[in-house]
Amino acid sequence: MSNIPDFHGPHVEPPLDGHVSLTWYDPLPRAPRIRVISHTCECRETTYELCATAGQGFVRRTDRAAQTVRETEWTLTSTARRVFDQILHGEAR
C-alpha cells in the first residue's frame, strides 16, 4: 500500500437548464509555466483545471474520450476562479 493518500478533486455537477455556454479555444504556448490551482476528479472522462500564469487565469478542459484539450479565454485569475466554480455547480459548460 502506498504512503501517498488518494486525492480526488470535486466532481462536476450536471449542467443546469439555461447554463452558460462557454467559448473554448485551442491552447497556445503563451507562458513557459502554468500553475494548476484546482482540478476536478480524474475519475471522469472530462476534467477541468483552474490554471494561473503571468498574472492571469483560465480554465483548461481535457476530454480524454475525444483526446482534446481546450481553454477558456485568459482573464483575471479571480474571474477564472468564478468560471471554474460555475462549471463545478453546473452553471456553465
Side-chain angles (χ1 to χ4, degrees):
M1 178 136 220
S2 172
N3 291 333
I4 301 172
D6 286 338
F7 177 76
H8 298 279
H11 288 158
V12 176
E13 303 263 337
L16 299 172
D17 289 339
H19 69 274
V20 174
S21 289
L22 299 172
T23 302
W24 295 95
Y25 302 94
D26 289 326
L28 297 172
R30 295 186 249 188
R33 287 184 296 270
I34 295 173
R35 181 170 52 105
V36 175
I37 298 171
S38 186
H39 62 86
T40 61
C41 189
E42 291 286 328
C43 73
R44 304 286 168 92
E45 278 186 357
T46 302
T47 60
Y48 297 88
E49 298 171 313
L50 173 60
C51 302
T53 186
Q56 294 193 309
F58 62 95
V59 177
R60 179 187 295 147
R61 179 185 72 195
T62 302
D63 183 334
R64 290 190 290 250
Q67 297 182 349
T68 59
V69 177
R70 308 281 288 191
E71 300 174 346
T72 61
E73 67 179 331
W74 288 32
T75 185
L76 296 173
T77 305
S78 60
T79 302
R81 183 177 297 278
R82 280 194 299 277
V83 170
F84 185 74
D85 288 341
Q86 287 178 311
I87 292 168
L88 286 177
H89 295 106
E91 298 167 358
R93 283 293 187 287

